[in-house]
Amino acid sequence: MLAEAEREAPTPLVLVSDAANAAFRDYGGWSDEALHGTFILDGEGRVQWQTIGESPFMAIDNVVAEVPRLRALTEKFTRR
């Protein structure tokens, strides 16, 4: 059963675990060693927003707030 907060979430959140770091390397999250990365991907797997750095990104509320704006931009440009 989903918690109330999960039912009210504006969009589903998918977390990916990649022990070999292949996906993370593909998205630029690796230099000499693994970095921390947070990404918003659209339905086609394109990066719409990202942050990569030495420290974990902790402003999750900012990411959740960004999703509707990015969704609107994506819809605007895909209708052309």
Side-chain angles (χ1 to χ4, degrees):
M1 176 177 263
L2 293 176
E4 184 175 338
E6 292 173 309
R7 285 193 305 266
E8 295 176 2
T11 188
L13 177 64
V14 177
L15 300 176
V16 177
S17 177
D18 178 15
N21 298 311
F24 203 46
R25 290 175 196 266
D26 289 346
Y27 285 103
W30 193 280
S31 60
D32 292 336
E33 58 186 54
L35 299 169
H36 297 274
T38 303
F39 304 87
I40 296 176
L41 307 177
D42 64 16
E44 303 297 320
R46 295 177 298 235
V47 176
Q48 297 297 314
W49 181 90
Q50 71 181 32
T51 181
I52 299 171
E54 293 179 8
S55 300
F57 181 75
M58 301 302 289
I60 301 304
D61 290 341
N62 293 352
V63 174
V64 172
E66 188 72 0
V67 170
R69 185 186 74 79
L70 292 170
R71 183 177 292 152
L73 283 173
T74 300
E75 289 172 1
K76 176 181 175 181
F77 289 108
T78 56
R79 282 187 233 147
R80 291 183 175 184

